Every structure is written in C-alpha cells, then in structure tokens.
Amino acid sequence: MTDSRQHRVDTLRQAARRKSEAKTKAAEAAIRTLVKRDEPITFQSVQREAGVSHAFLYGNADLRGRIERLRGQARPKPSPPEGAGSDNTIIQALTSQITHLRKQHRDESAALRAALEQAHGENLELRRELARLGGNLQPSTTS
C-alpha cells in the first residue's frame, strides 16, 4: 500500500473512531438524562434522546447490555393476587401482562425496523463508495 493511501486509510479510521466515541458519549448522556427524568430506558427512548441509530445501540455491546439491564429493572413486578382463587384477579393480571408484552413487542419490532433501514442505508452508501472507487458491484447470479 502506498504511503498516501495508508495515510488516507488511517485518517478515515481515526474519523470513524471519533464518530463512534461521540455517539457513545451521546448515548450515555441520554441514558443519564432518562434516568434523571425517571423515564423508561428502552432502545427507542435512548435512540431518540441521543440521536443515534438503533443499529449503533445494538451493535455496541456495552451500551446494549446497559440498556437491557436498565430496561429489565424498570419492568413492574406482578403483584401476587389478593384472592388466590379469584378468577377475576387472574384475568386482570394476565390481561395486564399481555398488554405489557404487546407494547414490548411493538417497541422491539420498531427498533428492528429502524436498524434494518439504517443497515440498508449504510449498504447503499458503501456500494456507492465502492462504485466511486472503481469496484465491481455486480452480485453473483449463481446460487
């Protein structure tokens, strides 16, 4: 590799590292802000607050673990039914649990859709960059 090419590669790597560090700091600040405001910690809430993508949050193992841990702590613990034999109490508890699971499913589905959109955008950018650099973008037609 030529010196000038290596210099460009190093410069791009440094820029990518700085960008990732800035996103990480923004996400950590968003988590602190959400905790102070006593708002639920979810991938979606952190993404909105920090202005980063879901893909970035899911891809960063430290942030992902922290968000999952905080999200798990915020889940309400089901209270034991007062009348253990009461059908009405059991129905209410199960209905509440179903409602919570549906909301969680919607949030996670939205996060995955956003991450997929982000990945598609990144793929498009990479294809354009590769085409600009003269690479062959033709996918193999043999399966």
Side-chain angles (χ1 to χ4, degrees):
M1 204 180 303
T2 65
D3 287 340
S4 65
R5 181 180 168 135
Q6 183 62 44
H7 177 68
R8 287 192 311 261
V9 168
D10 291 342
T11 301
L12 286 173
R13 281 191 183 130
Q14 290 171 359
R17 183 182 40 76
R18 285 192 302 270
K19 186 177 179 182
S20 178
E21 288 172 356
K23 286 181 179 183
T24 301
K25 287 180 183 178
E28 289 171 348
I31 292 170
R32 285 192 299 274
T33 301
L34 291 168
V35 168
K36 285 180 185 175
R37 291 192 309 222
D38 199 29
E39 293 184 19
I41 308 298
T42 63
F43 285 96
Q44 191 171 17
S45 65
V46 173
Q47 179 259 330
R48 273 194 311 259
E49 186 72 27
V52 298
S53 69
H54 283 89
F56 176 78
L57 295 174
Y58 279 105
N60 185 311
D62 293 335
L63 287 173
R64 182 178 185 165
R66 185 170 173 199
I67 292 169
E68 288 173 344
R69 188 176 61 256
L70 290 169
R71 181 177 62 183
Q73 290 173 355
R75 287 192 183 136
K77 305 291 185 242
S79 58
E82 292 175 12
S86 171
D87 288 341
N88 202 20
T89 306
I90 293 171
I91 291 170
Q92 287 175 346
L94 291 174
T95 302
S96 173
Q97 187 177 12
I98 289 170
T99 302
H100 172 74
L101 290 171
R102 283 182 177 161
K103 182 187 180 315
Q104 180 182 354
H105 179 260
R106 280 192 308 270
D107 290 346
E108 290 173 356
S109 294
L112 289 172
R113 277 192 298 276
L116 181 61
E117 288 175 16
Q118 177 72 22
H120 284 306
E122 290 172 3
N123 282 342
L124 179 61
E125 288 177 29
L126 290 171
R127 282 190 201 113
R128 287 178 179 162
E129 180 66 14
L130 187 58
R132 188 182 66 75
L133 295 172
N136 183 4
L137 289 178
Q138 300 303 319
S140 76
T141 55
T142 60
S143 295

